[in-house]
């Protein structure tokens, strides 16, 4: 790959003929096996996820990387930089706040924090 742009195109938006790795649980298909392997984690049972957060007893993760992302987004000192205007939850980045807003409040975008 010569540029990050081309790498992005081939991994995120592959041509249909490159889609060779099918998920046995749903209709998703991937061009690269490692992308399928990452996706398969989304089908794991909660009890099969072996990485747990020591600060959130009910949170479990399929990989150490996902646990690290959770800790960085929710428990780091940077986590307070993006606040949910509806419930006060804090996140270290806008995408994490956006996902929280979609999952927890059924919003298409986060509600602004009002003073």
């Amino acid at each position: 790959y010569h540029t990050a742009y081309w790498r992005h195109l081939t991994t995120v938006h592959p041509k249909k003929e490159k889609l060779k790795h099918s998920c046995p649980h749903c209709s998703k298909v991937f061009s690269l096996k490692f992308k399928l392997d990452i996706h398969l984690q989304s089908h794991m049972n909660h009890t099969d996820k072996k990485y747990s957060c020591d600060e959130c007893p009910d949170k479990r993760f399929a990989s150490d990387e996902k646990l690290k992302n959770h800790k960085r987004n929710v428990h780091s000192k940077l986590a307070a930089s993006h606040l949910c205007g509806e419930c006060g939850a804090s996140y270290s980045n806008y995408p994490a706040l956006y996902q929280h807003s979609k999952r927890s409040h059924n919003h298409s975008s986060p509600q602004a924090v009002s003073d």
Side-chain angles (χ1 to χ4, degrees), residues 3-19:
T3 66
Y5 171 74
W6 288 109
R7 184 173 45 249
H8 169 81
L9 279 182
T10 57
T11 58
V12 179
H13 310 287
K15 295 180 180 177
K16 289 195 189 275
E17 61 268 13
K18 299 283 185 180
L19 299 174

Side-chain angles (χ1 to χ4, degrees), residues 45-71:
N45 291 325
H46 183 72
T47 54
D48 293 337
K49 297 176 181 178
K50 63 182 180 177
Y51 298 92
S52 59
C53 177
D54 50 356
E55 296 183 55
C56 302
D58 296 335
K59 291 277 188 184
R60 298 183 65 78
F61 302 90
S63 70
D64 184 48
E65 187 65 29
K66 289 186 179 194
L67 173 60
K68 286 177 186 174
N69 288 341
H70 164 77
K71 287 184 173 184

Side-chain angles (χ1 to χ4, degrees), residues 7 26 37 42 49 51 65 67 78-79 93 95 102 107 112:
R7 184 173 45 249
C26 69
D37 292 340
S42 70
K49 297 176 181 178
Y51 298 92
E65 187 65 29
L67 173 60
L78 296 173
N93 57 60
K102 277 177 47 177
H107 296 306

Side-chain angles (χ1 to χ4, degrees), residues 59-91:
K59 291 277 188 184
R60 298 183 65 78
F61 302 90
S63 70
D64 184 48
E65 187 65 29
K66 289 186 179 194
L67 173 60
K68 286 177 186 174
N69 288 341
H70 164 77
K71 287 184 173 184
R72 183 179 61 247
N73 291 335
V74 178
H75 302 300
S76 74
K77 291 184 174 150
L78 296 173
S81 60
H82 292 79
L83 294 174
C84 175
E86 194 154 330
C87 70
S90 60
Y91 297 89

